Structure formats: structure tokens, C-alpha cells
Amino acid sequence: MINETLLMNGYGLYVWSAFAFTLLNFVTLYAVIKIQYNKEKNKFIAKFGSLNSERATLAKSQSINKEILSTISSI
Amino acid sequence: MFKYFEPNKVFSITSKAPKYVLFLFIIVLSIGLVEALILSPEDYKQSHSVRIMYVHVPAAWISLGIFSSITFLSVVGYIFKIRNFFLISKSLAPSGFVFNIIALVTGSIWGKPTWGTWWAWDARITSMLILALFYILYLIAWRIFEDNDKVFKITSIITILGIVNLPIIKYSVDWWNTLHQPASINILSKSSIHVSMLFPLMIMTAAFALFSLLIFLMKYNTELIKIKNKGLDRL
């Protein structure tokens, strides 16, 4: 049964390489997009941290900024 | 109506959604892989090599669907000056491009045992390659041009030119005598694929659609935070 699933009448190499290529692309794309997301998020946190209290209050008045800060590890 | 698509309104949803979509994607993909690699029957002509269909066909469908969506959003966004539509289009493009590459490479792998060659300048395959070039042009345009008006205009032109290629991809197998087989699944007429193969194909398509939704959401959130970073600089 295992041999049949792996070898697939001699087509195993083609089938498994097609599926492996697909999954590898999924993992790579996910990793690249997640790295970009974390980079922008960290930049936002650093910039927000460097604001003085008046500007921080002004920035926090925007709901989306509050959301970004509250969803720091959402993905 | 368009005000409901404003980033400020949707971010609370798009920021929380990825973890649920990722969870659902893993479940659907796991079921799809078991169905595609173990439970589905082999083909009477192509034997087990037919299993490549379960990654090749959904990838091609989704890359075409995403390019159509990008074109629609870019044109509507340009006409009605809706900046968020461009942001959505930009966020959809990476997964569309990757699915296009997956369709080309898995098609090439499938071609070797089926046709005896890795590549042929066949109408369907060549038109899919041209679509990949349009995706590349679209993605490069976003990297090259800084000015928003310019990038909106150029990406809209690229998508309008690229959309002409989509009917060619779809009907190339009917218009010309190609190596690539005609469509086995038809919405308007009876499909020639058996239900035992259609079921895993649909599950894999759902899994791929969930993956593109996941990537879209993550990319969209990244783009929104990027805009907000620029906003903090201006405070």
C-alpha cells in the first residue's frame, strides 16, 4: 500500500514533485508576506514609541492606529 | 456604497481574520491532499499522473480569477477614484502570480509523462506564460513608481492589456489544435469528469482559494500599516 502510494506505477516522481513544488511555494509566499508584515508592524511600533505624548494622543485618536497597536500578534 | 470598503472600517476585520483563515486552510488542504493523493482513482489512460490535475487546475483557475478581479478593481478604482480598490488589487497580485507559476510548472511536470516533453509552445501554455509576464509587469510597476496617480494609471493600463489575454487562455484549446486537452469541466454543459475526481478537485480549489484569501489579508494589512507609518511621519 505504502509502496503503491509512493511509486504510483512509475509516476510517483512527477506527482510528488508537482505537489512538493506547490507546497514549497505556499510556505515561501506565506513566509515572505509575514516577514513584510512584521517589518512594517515593528516600524509602526518604533515610530509610535518615539512620539511625544501630545502626538501619541493625536495618533491614538485614529481608530485604525489603535487597532494596529491592539493586534500586535494577530497573525 | 464604497464607504463600507474604507480601510478604517475594514481593518478591525482584516486584522483578526488571517488566523481563522489559516486554520480553515490547513483543515481543507489536509482533506484535499488525502483525497487527491490517496482516495481518488487513477485515470484509465493517464494512470496516477492525473493526480497532478489536483494542483495544476485549481492554480490555473485562481490565477485567472485573481487577474480578472485585479482588472475590474483597477478600472473601477481609476474611474471612481477609489484608492482602496488599488490597495486591494496590489494585495491580490502576489498570490495570483504564485498560482500562475504553480500552474505553469506543474503543467510542465504533467506534460513530461503525458506528452513526452516538459514544454511546448502550445497556445494554452504560451498564453499562460504571457499572463505571468503581465503579473510581473504589474508587480514591478508598483515597485518602480512612487507617485500614486502615475502608478494607478500604469497598473490600470497593464491590467486592461492583460485582460485581452484571458479569453485567449480560455478558448485557445477550442480555437486551435493544441497539445493541451480541452476543458473537462463546463458550467453550462455536462462535464466529462467523473464525480470521484471532481470532488477532490473542488476541495483542492477551495483550499487554494483560502490560501489566496489568507495571503491577500496579510498583504492588505501590511499595506495599511505602511500607509499609517507614513501618516505618523507627518504628525
Side-chain angles (χ1 to χ4, degrees):
Chain A
M1 167 74 183
I2 292 169
N3 253 356
E4 196 188 315
T5 308
L6 286 175
L7 299 174
M8 297 183 177
N9 289 345
Y11 293 105
L13 186 65
Y14 299 108
V15 175
W16 287 108
S17 57
F19 277 77
F21 180 81
T22 303
L23 296 178
L24 184 73
N25 269 276
F26 281 9
V27 172
T28 309
L29 182 61
Y30 180 81
V32 168
I33 300 290
K34 189 163 184 182
I35 289 166
Q36 286 177 355
Y37 174 81
N38 285 337
K39 201 174 126 190
E40 287 302 323
K41 192 183 66 188
N42 291 336
K43 211 188 276 179
F44 183 87
I45 293 162
K47 276 184 185 176
F48 199 88
S50 66
L51 293 175
N52 62 34
S53 60
E54 194 187 327
R55 284 177 176 176
T57 314
L58 187 65
K60 265 198 169 178
S61 66
Q62 287 187 21
S63 60
I64 192 164
N65 288 342
K66 250 193 285 182
E67 282 284 348
I68 295 167
L69 291 169
S70 68
T71 55
I72 277 165
S73 58
S74 69
I75 300 179
Chain B
M1 186 190 96
F2 295 134
K3 68 181 183 210
Y4 295 109
F5 294 105
E6 279 174 17
N8 289 327
K9 290 192 167 59
V10 294
F11 187 78
S12 59
I13 300 163
T14 60
S15 62
K16 292 178 187 78
K19 57 185 171 189
Y20 301 108
V21 177
L22 177 63
F23 178 69
L24 198 59
F25 162 68
I26 291 169
I27 292 173
V28 177
L29 181 71
S30 306
I31 299 167
L33 287 175
V34 172
E35 282 284 343
L37 290 167
I38 301 163
L39 302 178
S40 71
E42 59 184 291
D43 186 63
Y44 79 105
K45 254 187 186 171
Q46 298 189 36
S47 185
H48 285 284
S49 73
V50 76
R51 295 183 197 282
I52 298 171
M53 170 181 73
Y54 302 121
V55 285
H56 172 73
V57 174
W61 282 345
I62 288 172
S63 84
L64 294 178
I66 287 177
F67 198 87
S68 308
S69 308
I70 288 173
T71 308
F72 173 77
L73 289 166
S74 298
V75 172
V76 174
Y78 192 74
I79 293 168
F80 295 101
K81 305 283 174 223
I82 308 162
R83 187 192 156 100
N84 194 34
F85 276 19
F86 285 95
L87 214 59
I88 296 171
S89 303
K90 188 186 178 186
S91 310
L92 281 168
S95 58
F97 175 64
V98 166
F99 278 119
N100 196 154
I101 296 299
I102 291 171
L104 281 170
V105 173
T106 55
S108 172
I109 296 170
W110 197 5
K112 184 64 181 164
T114 315
W115 306 329
T117 181
W118 297 104
W119 184 264
W121 292 102
D122 170 273
R124 170 64 69 84
I125 306 166
T126 309
S127 51
M128 275 302 279
L129 182 67
I130 291 168
L131 181 66
L133 295 177
F134 274 105
Y135 265 120
I136 292 169
L137 281 176
Y138 181 85
L139 290 165
I140 288 175
W142 277 104
R143 282 193 169 261
I144 290 177
F145 301 103
E146 298 271 323
D147 178 53
N148 273 341
D149 287 338
K150 206 171 190 179
V151 78
F152 292 168
K153 193 176 179 181
I154 288 168
T155 52
S156 298
I157 292 168
I158 292 169
T159 56
I160 290 166
L161 292 174
I163 201 79
V164 175
N165 186 40
L166 260 62
I168 299 173
I169 295 172
K170 171 81 179 90
Y171 296 107
S172 55
V173 288
D174 304 320
W175 291 342
W176 295 289
N177 190 15
T178 60
L179 261 181
H180 199 285
Q181 68 179 66
S184 304
I185 298 163
N186 296 299
I187 298 168
L188 299 174
S189 55
K190 197 175 181 289
S191 297
S192 58
I193 188 170
H194 191 263
V195 71
S196 59
M197 289 178 174
L198 185 63
F199 181 63
L201 186 64
M202 289 300 133
I203 292 179
M204 287 299 276
T205 306
F208 282 24
L210 281 168
F211 181 74
S212 57
L213 176 65
L214 172 70
I215 296 299
F216 160 71
L217 289 167
M218 289 169 70
K219 182 75 180 160
Y220 183 72
N221 292 338
T222 308
E223 293 300 325
L224 285 183
I225 296 173
K226 214 183 264 181
I227 291 168
K228 288 294 145 188
N229 271 333
K230 284 179 188 163
L232 286 184
D233 288 338
R234 285 197 291 268
L235 273 177

